[in-house]
Every structure is written in structure tokens, then in C-alpha cells.
């Protein structure tokens, strides 16, 4: 049942087919309008656009392909599902080229299958719209951030506040997965950054990045990184590019873009993708250290490998690793500034001490920071320290 009363336009010159589709879909909770040909359908859209359209392929006056051409120009955000009794592959290909979001053949024997196709299209349209809003907000924040950076000598604190506006919601929940972060900066503007987002209804992407250096130049690179990852996400939602589902491809592409852009900055970064239904982690690392710490089955272990940072070497490799997760787990990422404040003598001792502190799936970042002896509100740190925690 579609409780939202989604506005649907059924376009078909066959009255019996049109009314039978309308009757079924109205019973399923859609608010259905009807049009007997393409001209009537386009006029209807211009007066009161529907949220989704079912359109027959063969019709008098204006056929389905002509309708698609107009819809792609005037209403590109309205999903159009083509319906045809022909079922020829050339029609399918032509329809998809012209902008159809899906294609079904009639007679439609399984109406539930049609409803599932409609729901997929509506979900995709929703994600695209959310991404546009997200992009608009991000661009507005970026403009403010750049303006603040230009006047940093007068008001660096404003720049810090704007940089924090680019961060995700702390404690955000995706199904049973929850994510938390803490950014402890050694200066007004940080070169560390974290983000996480829904790629589709089953995959969550997340990363922790540590830009070399401090201050304005490093902060600007975090903005560029955020913009680039948002563009990747938009391409994914638009069905053009699925790069974010593959951590190896994502880091390789970022490495190339940073080198081509001449940023003269390198970025240590861990990028992971969690498949919620399969409870599987896929990740790649670009010089991220210390390695990620995974706690499950009563013990903690490091997940990661040695690799160069992004933006330093051409043809750098960032192999993808896949890891089946347990029903309950905690995954912790920390930037390398953590080693600057640990009192242990050797790097091995520091790594062992970090591992020992991750001793439960109920890990809490505030408790961990207290264990590390970092005072609340500390502002005299030798380096930025950032924590990203995922728990299920």
C-alpha cells in the first residue's frame, strides 16, 4: 500500500487497459489520473505534474517515444515507465536512450511486479532530489567557507564554524548501524575530515581523511575532497557511475584527480563501504595509519595495510579488502595525530595500547578520549586527532 498517495498519470489509448491499471493502482493507494494520448498527457503535466508516469508506446497523435522526448526536456525529474505490447528489443533500447526509467510489456500478468518497478523509480527520484538539495546546501556552505578563508586573518573562528557545517550528523543511524566522530584540532582550521552517506538502500559509504599540513591550505583540500565525493555520490544516484561502491576505484580516482589538479597536498585516507543486508565491509586504504581497529567476537584486531597516500604518486595501488562482519561489531578509525600524545616509547607499544583500549562493541568515544588522557576541550594538541566510530 502506497500511503503517501503518490500522484500517478496513466497514459494509454486503450480505455479498457487504462481503466484497469487505474483501478488496480488506486486500490494500492496511488492518486491516479488518466490520459488517452501523448498530447493530453503533456498538457496534464504542464498543468499539474505527476510524480510518476506509466506511458504506452504505441498511441495516435503523439506516441510514447515522442512523449519521452518532451518529458526529458521539460520534466526530467518525473520517472516515466514505458508500457508496450510489442516487447521488441529495439523499442526497449530506444525508450531507455530517450530517458525512460524502466520498461514493462503488456499484458501485465503480475501487477505486483509493476508496483515494485514503480517503487524503485520513485526511490531513485527521491534520492536524486535529496542529492540536489544536499548539493545546493553544500555549495552555499562552500561559498561561505571560501569567503571566510579569504578573510581568515580577521576571523579564523568563522572559518572553523563553516568547516564544521560540512560534517555529517554525529550519531547518524543507518538501519542498525550507527556512526560517531570527534575532531580534536591543533589549530583553528583542521586538515582532518570525516563523512558518511547512504549510497543506495543497502550500502553505506564512510571515510576518514588526514590532509598533510595545517591551516588554510589543508582546510581547502578537505572542501575539495568533500565536493569530489559528493559528485561521485551524485553520479551514483543518477545511475551513471557506481565508483563509490568500489573502494579501490574510489581511492585510485581521487589520487589521479589530486595529481591532475596540482594541489601539492597528499591525503591519508581510509574509505569503506558496508553492505547492510550482507553485513560485509569492503575497504581500501591510502596511507591511513594507524590501521582501522575492528572489535568482534570478544577481541580487537587491526584491519589495514601499508600504502601510499592519495595525491603523491602516479599509478598508486589501493587494493580492496572484503571482510565479513559479525552481528555485533565496533570499527574505529583514528588519524595519526594520536601517536603524538601517547606516552609510550615505541610505535609498537602505542599500537598495542590502542588495541587494548578497544575492548567492547559498546565502545564510547568520550570514554576512549578520557582513557587516552586528552583533557576535555584541549586546544594545545601537537597535531589534529580525529576519531570515527561505527557500531552495530
Amino acid at each position: 500500500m502506497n500511503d503517501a498517495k503518490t500522484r500517478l498519470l496513466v497514459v494509454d489509448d486503450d480505455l479498457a487497459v487504462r481503466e484497469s491499471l487505474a483501478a488496480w493502482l488506486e486500490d494500492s493507494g496511488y492518486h491516479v489520473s488518466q490520459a488517452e494520448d501523448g498530447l493530453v498527457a503533456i498538457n496534464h503535466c504542464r498543468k499539474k505534474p505527476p510524480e510518476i508516469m506509466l506511458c504506452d508506446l504505441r498511441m495516435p497523435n503523439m506516441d510514447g517515444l515522442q512523449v519521452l522526448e518532451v518529458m526529458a526536456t521539460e520534466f526530467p525529474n518525473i520517472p516515466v515507465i514505458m508500457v508496450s505490447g510489442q516487447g521488441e528489443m529495439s523499442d526497449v533500447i530506444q525508450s531507455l536512450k530517450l530517458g525512460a526509467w524502466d520498461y514493462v510489456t503488456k499484458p501485465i500478468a503480475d501487477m505486483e511486479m509493476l508496483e515494485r518497478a514503480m517503487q524503485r523509480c520513485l526511490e531513485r527520484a527521491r534520492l536524486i532530489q535529496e542529492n540536489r538539495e544536499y548539493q545546493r546546501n553544500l555549495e552555499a556552505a562552500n561559498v561561505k567557507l571560501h569567503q571566510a578563508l579569504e578573510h581568515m586573518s580577521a576571523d579564523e573562528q568563522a572559518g572553523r564554524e563553516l568547516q564544521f557545517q560540512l560534517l555529517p550528523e554525529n550519531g547518524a543511524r543507518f538501519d542498525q548501524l550507527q556512526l560517531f566522530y570527534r575532531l580534536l584540532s591543533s589549530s583553528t582550521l583542521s586538515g582532518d575530515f570525516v563523512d558518511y552517506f547512504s549510497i543506495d538502500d543497502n550500502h553505506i559509504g564512510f571515510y576518514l581523511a588526514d590532509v598533510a599540513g595545517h591551516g588554510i591550505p589543508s582546510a581547502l583540500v578537505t572542501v575539495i575532497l568533500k565536493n569530489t565525493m559528493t559528485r561521485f555520490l551524485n553520479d551514483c544516484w543518477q545511475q551513471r557511475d557506481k565508483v563509490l561502491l568500489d573502494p579501490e576505484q574510489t581511492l585510485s580516482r581521487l589520487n589521479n584527480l589530486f595529481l591532475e589538479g596540482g594541489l601539492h597536498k597528499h591525503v591519508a585516507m581510509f574509505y569503506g563501504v558496508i553492505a547492510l543486508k550482507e553485513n560485509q565491509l569492503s575497504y581500501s586504504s591510502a596511507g591511513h595509519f594507524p590501521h582501522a581497529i575492528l572489535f568482534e567476537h570478544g577481541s580487537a584486531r587491526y584491519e589495514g595495510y601499508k600504502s601510499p597516500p592519495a595525491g603523491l604518486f602516479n599509478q598508486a595501488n589501493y587494493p580492496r579488502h572484503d571482510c565479513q562482519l559479525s552481528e555485533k561489531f565496533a570499527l574505529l578509525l583514528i588519524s595519526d595525530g594520536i601517536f603524538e600524545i601517547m606516552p609510550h616509547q615505541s610505535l609498537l607499544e602505542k599500537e598495542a595500547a590502542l588495541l587494548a583500549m578497544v575492548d567492547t562493541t559498546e565502545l564510547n568515544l568520550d570514554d576512549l578520549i578520557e582513557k587516552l588522557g586528552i583533557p576535555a576541550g584541549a586546544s594545545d594538541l601537537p597535531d589534529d586527532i580525529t576519531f570515527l566510530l561505527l557500531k552495530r
Side-chain angles (χ1 to χ4, degrees), residues 170 224 253 274 368:
N170 204 350
I224 293 170
R253 190 172 296 185
I274 289 184
L368 178 63

Side-chain angles (χ1 to χ4, degrees), residues 75 84 92 101 106-107 126-127 151 168 171 210 255 291 297 322 331 357:
F75 309 100
S84 172
V92 177
W101 292 46
K106 61 181 182 182
R126 183 187 66 79
L127 289 173
H151 301 88
D210 181 358
N255 181 60
H291 299 319
H297 305 303
D322 295 323
L331 180 68
M357 292 181 191

Side-chain angles (χ1 to χ4, degrees), residues 102-203:
D102 209 336
Y103 190 104
V104 297
T105 58
K106 61 181 182 182
I108 302 173
D110 187 352
M111 292 297 293
E112 292 183 358
M113 180 186 70
L114 173 63
E115 287 193 66
R116 287 195 294 272
M118 293 169 62
Q119 287 300 316
R120 286 196 299 271
C121 290
L122 288 166
E123 175 64 13
R124 179 182 161 197
R126 183 187 66 79
L127 289 173
I128 291 172
Q129 180 60 31
E130 286 182 356
N131 181 62
R132 286 196 183 94
E133 293 295 327
Y134 183 75
Q135 184 69 32
R136 279 194 290 268
N137 293 336
L138 176 60
E139 288 172 354
N142 286 344
V143 169
K144 292 180 181 178
L145 179 58
H146 281 288
Q147 292 171 345
L149 292 176
E150 290 173 357
H151 301 88
M152 192 56 62
S153 58
D155 193 358
E156 286 194 346
Q157 186 58 38
R160 176 181 175 84
E161 292 172 0
L162 288 167
Q163 187 181 29
F164 270 67
Q165 288 181 20
L166 301 179
L167 292 166
E169 175 189 358
N170 204 350
R173 184 180 294 274
F174 302 89
D175 194 16
Q176 298 180 50
L177 182 68
Q178 196 166 13
L179 297 95
F180 306 87
Y181 64 86
R182 297 286 187 279
L183 270 71
L184 309 179
S185 300
S186 59
S187 59
T188 303
L189 288 170
S190 176
D192 284 6
F193 197 78
V194 298
D195 201 8
Y196 35 82
F197 40 82
S198 175
I199 301 174
D200 57 32
D201 60 359
N202 187 43
H203 295 90

Side-chain angles (χ1 to χ4, degrees), residues 217 221 224 254-266 310-312 314:
V221 174
I224 293 170
L254 285 172
N255 181 60
N256 293 334
L257 289 172
F258 288 160
L259 289 170
E260 292 167 3
L263 295 180
H264 306 295
K265 283 280 186 180
H266 56 269
L312 196 59
N314 285 308

Side-chain angles (χ1 to χ4, degrees), residues 338-358:
I338 191 66
F339 291 140
E340 298 292 326
I341 56 95
M342 296 184 73
H344 308 79
Q345 293 299 312
S346 70
L347 181 59
L348 287 176
E349 290 176 326
K350 293 178 181 182
E351 288 182 282
L354 272 181
L355 203 63
M357 292 181 191
V358 182

Side-chain angles (χ1 to χ4, degrees), residues 3 26 43 83 85 97 147 156 186 191 217 225 251 269 277 286 296 310 329 339-340 356 388 391:
D3 296 328
E26 282 176 348
N43 287 332
V83 183
K97 281 184 177 179
Q147 292 171 345
E156 286 194 346
S186 59
L225 175 61
L251 291 188
M269 181 171 172
K277 295 175 184 175
E296 57 180 358
F329 70 88
F339 291 140
E340 298 292 326
L388 175 58
K391 294 198 298 185

